[in-house]
Amino acid sequence: SGIEPTQIFKIIALSGEYPNIEKEFKKVINQVNLYGYDLLTALRNSARETSSQKLSELFNGMASSVSGGSVLTEFLDKRAESLMLEYRLDKERHIKISETLMDIYISIVIAAPMILTLLLVLMAVSKMDIGLSTEALSMIIVLIVSLINIVFMAVLHLKEESW
């Protein structure tokens, strides 16, 4: 759009759409406006101080792009493209993990109780006695399946937060 790079930071910082990045962008703006640093120095300082590795790489890349004389829009386009590719690959990896968890869940929670129920029926037909009634064994199976469901829900919840 042809606007000055410091204006980009100001627009994003004041938009309210990105609350976590706002703080970092305000630091860049303050270093330029209040401390009198040039944009390159402010970007390099912010890159060292930020806790986000990706934001630090972005700031360093912008500083290198501006100081090297290349066009900032080209750098930002390439960086956005690489970040989107990384995001897609990360999402695909999480989908694979979810598929694996689903396969495990199906085999444990659906197939196992069916096999155990079949065993109960066979035991009842053959008059085998293992010390527990069929009703007690059924209740134990239901409790085990419920416990496995709770464990899987906890695992999914923990995995979801990390995604």
Side-chain angles (χ1 to χ4, degrees), residues 106-120 141 145:
I106 288 171
S107 64
I108 290 176
V109 176
I110 295 176
M114 288 174 56
I115 292 170
L116 290 174
T117 305
L118 181 63
L119 285 173
L120 284 176
I141 291 171
V145 168

Side-chain angles (χ1 to χ4, degrees), residues 94-106 152:
H94 292 303
I95 288 171
K96 298 282 186 201
I97 291 171
S98 296
E99 289 172 352
T100 303
L101 288 174
M102 181 183 67
D103 290 340
I104 293 170
Y105 179 82
I106 288 171
F152 262 88

